């Protein structure tokens, strides 16, 4: 009889373990930590998100940068603060400038593979992304361990079938030419953003994208 009860107990424990391992964690608000590199520097990005906004923050040399966007990219701003020089600037993009950035994004198709591996504790599978504009391919590793709001994931990965964990990000270089960077998500939490994260503090000087381009020595 004891053996029977032990067997039942072990069966329940095993079932609970399997259910726990396969249950998808769904985030509606929190923070994503990502690592990448730029100009020979390793960068760590922290992206706070909620249902209507994202705020991505990182440091590059003496500058602290924050990127603010709403869920539908109707608004976008780049905030740059350089404490050593008492610089606080907030570049507000116009709707036309936002559309120009969005139109530069690739159009991707996706081919799932059978390859799997763990990245930063996430169970990942490889998907091959093909840019229909130039037929170049990219290996993207996605997970279904978690789900994130659509605004957290780059728009061109919206239909990839999971959350990109190790992926290629498509950007616009200093001279307006396309460039790519490799990103890896190292953590996701439900940590809420500090007060004021999704806004522009009143002591920031609001400038145009053109003025930001002039400050940074090129186009963004």
């Amino acid at each position: 009889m004891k053996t029977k009860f032990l067997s039942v107990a072990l069966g329940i424990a095993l079932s609970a373990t399997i259910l726990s391992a396969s249950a998808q964690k769904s985030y509606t608000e929190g923070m994503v930590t990502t690592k990448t590199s730029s100009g020979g520097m390793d960068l760590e990005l922290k992206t706070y998100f909620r249902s209507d906004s994202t705020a991505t923050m990182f440091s590059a040399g003496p500058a602290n940068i924050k990127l603010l966007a709403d869920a539908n990219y109707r608004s976008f701003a780049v905030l740059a603060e350089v404490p050593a020089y008492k610089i606080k600037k907030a570049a507000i993009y116009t709707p036309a400038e936002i559309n120009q950035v969005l139109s530069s994004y690739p159009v991707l198709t996706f081919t799932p593979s059978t390859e799997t591996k763990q990245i930063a504790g996430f169970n990942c599978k490889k998907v091959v992304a093909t840019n229909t504009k130039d037929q170049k391919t990219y290996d993207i590793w996605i997970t279904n361990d978690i789900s994130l709001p659509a605004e957290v994931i780059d728009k061109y990965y919206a239909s990839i079938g999971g959350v990109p964990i190790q992926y290629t990000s498509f950007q616009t270089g200093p001279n307006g030419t396309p460039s790519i960077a490799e990103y890896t998500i190292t953590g996701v939490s439900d940590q809420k953003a500090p007060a004021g994260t999704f806004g522009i503090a009143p002591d920031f000087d609001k400038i145009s994208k053109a003025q930001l381009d002039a400050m940074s020595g090129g186009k963004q």
Side-chain angles (χ1 to χ4, degrees), residues 188-215:
V188 180
S189 74
D190 53 10
Q191 177 181 336
K192 293 186 177 181
T197 295
F198 298 103
I200 300 174
D203 58 343
F204 274 74
D205 296 326
K206 293 183 179 180
I207 62 175
S208 66
K209 176 182 178 297
Q211 290 172 301
L212 175 68
D213 292 345
M215 290 175 58

Side-chain angles (χ1 to χ4, degrees), residues 65-220:
I65 308 297
K66 180 161 70 171
L67 311 178
L68 291 177
D70 76 342
N72 298 308
Y73 274 89
R74 288 187 298 263
S75 65
F76 184 78
V78 178
L79 281 64
E81 180 180 5
V82 187
Y85 296 96
K86 298 181 179 180
I87 294 174
K88 290 186 175 183
K89 304 290 184 181
I92 313 299
Y93 280 48
T94 67
E97 289 165 344
I98 294 172
N99 288 334
Q100 184 178 20
V101 172
L102 296 178
S103 66
S104 70
Y105 285 167
V107 178
L108 302 176
T109 59
F110 305 109
T111 305
S113 78
T114 57
E115 293 185 52
T116 61
K117 68 176 179 180
Q118 274 214 345
I119 302 172
F122 298 106
N123 297 304
C124 299
K125 54 188 176 184
K126 188 175 82 172
V127 175
V128 178
T130 302
N131 184 354
T132 60
K133 294 181 178 180
D134 58 16
Q135 301 306 309
K136 290 183 178 179
T137 60
Y138 305 89
D139 292 345
I140 312 300
W141 292 86
I142 69 170
T143 188
N144 295 114
D145 290 353
I146 59 173
S147 68
L148 294 174
E151 64 267 18
V152 182
I153 300 171
D154 288 335
K155 293 176 73 69
Y156 36 82
Y157 290 129
S159 61
I160 198 170
V163 175
I165 297 296
Q166 193 170 81
Y167 60 95
T168 302
S169 178
F170 299 86
Q171 306 165 0
T172 302
N175 298 316
T177 56
S179 65
I180 61 174
E182 301 304 319
Y183 282 65
T184 301
I185 289 178
T186 57
V188 180
S189 74
D190 53 10
Q191 177 181 336
K192 293 186 177 181
T197 295
F198 298 103
I200 300 174
D203 58 343
F204 274 74
D205 296 326
K206 293 183 179 180
I207 62 175
S208 66
K209 176 182 178 297
Q211 290 172 301
L212 175 68
D213 292 345
M215 290 175 58
S216 58
K219 298 179 180 179
Q220 299 298 317

Side-chain angles (χ1 to χ4, degrees), residues 40-69:
M41 293 189 301
D42 292 332
L43 300 177
E44 182 179 74
L45 289 69
K46 294 186 181 297
T47 299
Y48 288 97
F49 62 90
R50 60 188 188 188
S51 61
D52 61 348
S53 306
T54 62
T56 298
M57 297 176 286
F58 62 96
S59 296
N64 298 319
I65 308 297
K66 180 161 70 171
L67 311 178
L68 291 177

